[in-house]
Amino acid sequence: MAHEHNHEIHDSLNNSLTFDEKLVKLLEHWIKHNNDHAENYRDWAEKTKEKGMINVDLLLQDAVDLTELISNKFKEALELLQNRF
């Protein structure tokens, strides 16, 4: 399955939005985007595990964990930003 990046979010961030509004939209987009990646990595980790590729499975699981860690950082940043309003 090919992964396509949808860059509409960048096009939609026009000058009518404030800096904070743009950042909220970007963080929300990055969270969803990262979660999509994590799910894809998780699926492939399971497939490699089924094929007996345990070391590959473990590395892909690490990638899932790291991707989720990044998403959590984005969520924390979003929460801090939203608490400013």
Side-chain angles (χ1 to χ4, degrees):
M1 179 164 105
H3 175 77
E4 294 181 23
H5 287 128
N6 182 345
H7 293 281
E8 288 178 20
I9 185 71
H10 302 290
D11 297 335
S12 70
L13 297 178
N14 59 43
N15 292 333
S16 66
L17 298 176
T18 67
F19 179 84
D20 287 1
E21 290 169 335
K22 287 179 186 178
L23 188 53
V24 165
K25 288 193 177 292
L26 281 171
L27 287 165
E28 290 171 342
H29 170 75
W30 292 337
I31 291 165
K32 181 187 180 321
H33 191 82
N34 255 23
N35 290 343
D36 291 344
H37 278 292
E39 188 60 34
N40 194 23
Y41 305 154
R42 190 176 289 107
D43 290 345
W44 279 98
E46 185 61 33
K47 290 175 186 178
T48 58
K49 185 177 180 181
E50 290 170 2
K51 296 287 186 182
M53 305 165 121
I54 302 305
N55 290 335
V56 174
D57 166 53
L58 293 174
L59 289 170
L60 292 176
Q61 287 295 339
D62 286 346
V64 170
D65 294 342
L66 291 169
T67 303
E68 289 177 342
L69 180 63
I70 292 168
S71 287
N72 287 337
K73 296 296 180 184
F74 290 152
K75 288 176 187 175
E76 289 177 35
L78 180 61
E79 185 176 313
L80 286 173
L81 184 60
Q82 289 173 329
N83 286 336
R84 288 175 35 133
F85 299 135

